[in-house]
């Protein structure tokens, strides 16, 4: 790595860390602390539960601040270099804008990859833990649950063994309605079982009035049989099934795909899960998009004040997340495809970034 690259990256690091801290503080102060205060006043949450909620809420907040911080860092770092005429000196030495911006773009792409993994490995688990604390420690929600469109996944060594779907689950009566079970061997579908309902009796589920389809012969229907009563190949208790159900924000990418698959097979709208799935990649890629926008903006001659750079960052962030909020709502409602809902903000940002980069390189 050249001395020039180290120098530019050093200029980038400070504003990036500052951006993470500053933007995270805004999110925490405007939403997280307010929700925690409500739990304290309404349910009398303990100090231990409050501390848990605070730390479990941080990963989902930090993920959102990575793109914002990359925009602020690229804009402020190049703004300072431009204001002190260092960019002019570097260009006088024969360096092009693309060469100067290359380390920023590489780091931004690396941050996008890191954010993707962080968003997959840490955020869903933290969101699940947050929800468990709220439900079990604060609200003490022990009342029976009634849930719709539940999915039960049985995995073995990372492979899917069984996927169970129920249109309705009533924990009070320990009953599942409109049950569908898919059995897999070596990731191939070999059997499908459908039943009118399943009831938890003693220590097992009993299915009633259903049909079994044998697909072991290369995916083709070999035979089928009707039954009036059948033991269900799921041994999870009603309470365990109720606790296992997750919101889209609590699921990993693989869990989202399985959920979408189960819902689509039953012809249930899965737009909310599809939008969340595509946003798992779209939001991290915004780090790179924002670097494309912030780096050329930092070279503008009037960029002599860090307060101006912060103001520009806030404007760009506001526009981006306003567009994302609108497209997300449209995608979840089915008005536009989920992939479009997730990627339209990035596409608009990419077009703007390419335009600004080309303009700065002239």
């Amino acid at each position: 790595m050249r001395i020039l690259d180290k120098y530019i990256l050093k200029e980038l690091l400070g504003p990036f860390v500052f951006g993470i801290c500053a933007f995270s503080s805004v999110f925490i102060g405007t939403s997280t602390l307010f929700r925690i205060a409500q739990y304290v006043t309404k349910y009398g949450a303990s100090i231990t539960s409050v501390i848990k909620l605070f730390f479990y809420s941080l990963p989902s907040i930090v993920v959102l601040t990575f793109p914002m911080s990359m925009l602020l860092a690229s804009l402020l770092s190049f703004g300072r270099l431009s204001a002190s005429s260092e960019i002019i000196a570097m260009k006088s030495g024969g360096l092009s804008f693309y060469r100067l911006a290359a380390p920023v773009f590489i780091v931004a792409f690396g941050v996008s990859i890191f954010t993707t993994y962080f968003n997959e490995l840490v955020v869903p688990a933290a969101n699940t833990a947050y929800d468990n604390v709220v439900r079990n420690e604060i609200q003490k929600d022990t009342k029976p649950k009634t849930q719709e469109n539940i999915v039960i996944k049985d995995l073995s060594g990372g492979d899917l063994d069984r996927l169970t779907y129920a249109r309705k689950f009533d924990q009070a009566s320990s009953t599942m309605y409109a049950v569908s079970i898919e059995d897999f061997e070596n990731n191939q579908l070999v059997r499908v079982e459908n039943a009118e309902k399943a009831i938890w009796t003693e220590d097992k589920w009993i299915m009633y009035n259903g049909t079994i389809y044998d697909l072991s012969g290369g995916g083709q229907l070999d035979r089928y049989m009707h039954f009036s009563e059948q033991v269900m190949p799921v041994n999870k208790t009603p309470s365990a099934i109720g606790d296992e159900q997750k919101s889209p924000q609590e699921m990993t990418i693989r869990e989202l795909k399985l959920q979408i698959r189960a819902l689509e097979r039953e012809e249930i709208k899965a737009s909310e899960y599809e939008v969340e799935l595509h946003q798992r990649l779209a939001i991290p890629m915004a780090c790179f998009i924002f670097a494309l926008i912030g780096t050329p903006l930092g070279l503008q001659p009037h960029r002599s004040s860090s307060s101006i750079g912060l103001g520009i960052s806030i404007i760009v962030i506001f526009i981006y997340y306003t567009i994302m909020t609108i497209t997300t709502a449209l995608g979840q409602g089915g008005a536009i495809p989920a992939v479009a809902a997730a990627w339209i903000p990035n596409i608009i940002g990419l077009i703007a970034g390419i335009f600004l980069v080309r303009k700065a390189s002239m």
Side-chain angles (χ1 to χ4, degrees), residues 16 19-20 23 27 61-74 108 111-112 115 282-291 294 313 316-317 320-321 324 346:
F16 181 72
I20 293 176
F23 291 124
F27 280 110
I61 292 175
V62 171
V63 162
L64 292 177
T65 64
F66 279 149
M68 303 177 187
S69 303
M70 183 53 62
L71 171 65
L72 181 66
S74 58
V111 172
S112 293
T115 305
I283 291 178
M285 282 307 300
C287 297
F288 180 73
I289 301 297
F290 278 176
S313 299
V316 174
I317 291 167
Y320 176 88
Y321 282 99
M324 188 180 74
N346 280 6

Side-chain angles (χ1 to χ4, degrees), residues 27 32 35 55-65 118-119 122-123 126-127:
F27 280 110
T32 303
R35 289 198 304 269
F55 283 103
Y56 287 147
S57 67
L58 291 181
S60 59
I61 292 175
V62 171
V63 162
L64 292 177
T65 64
F118 186 83
N119 203 21
V122 178
V123 175
N127 289 341

Side-chain angles (χ1 to χ4, degrees), residues 193-259:
E193 300 181 45
N194 296 323
E196 180 182 307
K197 64 180 179 180
I199 301 176
W200 179 258
T201 304
E202 295 180 356
D203 60 347
K204 58 183 177 295
W205 288 96
I206 304 296
M207 298 187 296
Y208 297 92
N209 302 325
T211 307
I212 299 176
Y213 301 92
D214 186 0
L215 306 174
S216 57
Q220 301 295 323
L221 178 62
D222 281 351
R223 55 181 177 169
Y224 69 93
M225 61 172 290
H226 297 285
F227 63 85
S228 58
E229 187 175 317
Q230 173 91 0
V231 176
M232 185 175 176
V234 174
N235 56 7
K236 295 180 180 179
T237 64
S239 59
I241 292 174
D243 293 338
E244 183 180 298
Q245 303 310 305
K246 300 178 180 179
S247 66
Q249 293 75 26
E250 297 171 352
M251 295 182 180
T252 63
I253 290 177
R254 182 176 186 182
E255 289 173 331
L256 286 168
K257 289 181 178 179
L258 292 175
Q259 187 82 10

Side-chain angles (χ1 to χ4, degrees), residues 17-307:
V17 175
F18 168 77
I20 293 176
C21 297
F23 291 124
S24 296
S25 298
V26 172
F27 280 110
I28 292 171
T30 57
S31 60
T32 303
L33 293 181
F34 178 75
R35 289 198 304 269
I36 291 177
Q38 285 184 315
Y39 292 136
V40 173
T41 56
K42 186 175 181 179
Y43 298 101
S46 66
I47 296 297
T48 303
S49 298
V50 166
I51 293 174
K52 288 181 182 179
L53 290 182
F54 178 80
F55 283 103
Y56 287 147
S57 67
L58 291 181
S60 59
I61 292 175
V62 171
V63 162
L64 292 177
T65 64
F66 279 149
M68 303 177 187
S69 303
M70 183 53 62
L71 171 65
L72 181 66
S74 58
L75 202 155
L76 290 185
S77 59
F78 268 68
R80 196 206 66 78
L81 294 174
S82 178
S84 59
S85 301
E86 293 183 59
I87 294 294
I88 295 177
M90 293 174 185
K91 288 186 175 180
S92 299
L95 297 175
S96 66
F97 167 78
Y98 292 110
R99 177 62 187 85
L100 297 176
V104 179
F105 294 158
I106 293 173
V107 168
F109 187 73
V111 172
S112 293
I113 295 176
F114 171 80
T115 305
T116 301
Y117 280 97
F118 186 83
N119 203 21
E120 172 69 5
L121 301 177
V122 178
V123 175
N127 289 341
T128 300
Y130 183 99
D131 184 66
N132 289 336
V133 171
V134 172
R135 186 176 62 249
N136 299 326
E137 296 184 18
I138 297 177
Q139 295 178 341
K140 294 181 172 58
D141 184 11
T142 58
K143 296 180 296 184
K145 304 183 182 79
T146 299
Q147 298 171 289
E148 295 186 356
N149 300 321
I150 70 164
V151 175
I152 307 168
K153 298 169 284 289
D154 293 311
L155 303 175
S156 176
D159 294 329
L160 180 65
D161 282 346
R162 184 178 300 108
L163 190 64
T164 304
Y165 167 84
R167 189 175 296 273
K168 181 181 178 181
F169 170 57
D170 185 357
Q171 191 169 333
S173 61
S174 300
T175 305
M176 289 188 283
Y177 299 92
V179 180
S180 177
I181 303 173
E182 297 181 353
D183 288 321
F184 297 86
E185 291 181 5
N186 299 322
N187 292 320
Q188 296 293 324
L189 180 64
V190 296
R191 184 166 48 257
V192 175
E193 300 181 45
N194 296 323
E196 180 182 307
K197 64 180 179 180
I199 301 176
W200 179 258
T201 304
E202 295 180 356
D203 60 347
K204 58 183 177 295
W205 288 96
I206 304 296
M207 298 187 296
Y208 297 92
N209 302 325
T211 307
I212 299 176
Y213 301 92
D214 186 0
L215 306 174
S216 57
Q220 301 295 323
L221 178 62
D222 281 351
R223 55 181 177 169
Y224 69 93
M225 61 172 290
H226 297 285
F227 63 85
S228 58
E229 187 175 317
Q230 173 91 0
V231 176
M232 185 175 176
V234 174
N235 56 7
K236 295 180 180 179
T237 64
S239 59
I241 292 174
D243 293 338
E244 183 180 298
Q245 303 310 305
K246 300 178 180 179
S247 66
Q249 293 75 26
E250 297 171 352
M251 295 182 180
T252 63
I253 290 177
R254 182 176 186 182
E255 289 173 331
L256 286 168
K257 289 181 178 179
L258 292 175
Q259 187 82 10
I260 292 168
R261 173 178 177 174
L263 293 178
E264 287 182 341
R265 185 181 179 277
E266 301 298 324
E267 299 183 352
I268 304 296
K269 188 174 74 170
S271 302
E272 182 180 2
Y273 297 93
E274 291 175 340
V275 172
E276 178 69 24
L277 175 63
H278 290 291
Q279 284 184 338
R280 291 295 175 88
L281 298 178
I283 291 178
M285 282 307 300
C287 297
F288 180 73
I289 301 297
F290 278 176
L292 289 178
I293 296 174
T295 303
L297 280 179
L299 295 179
Q300 301 302 315
H302 62 275
R303 203 71 62 240
S304 58
S305 171
S306 59
S307 61

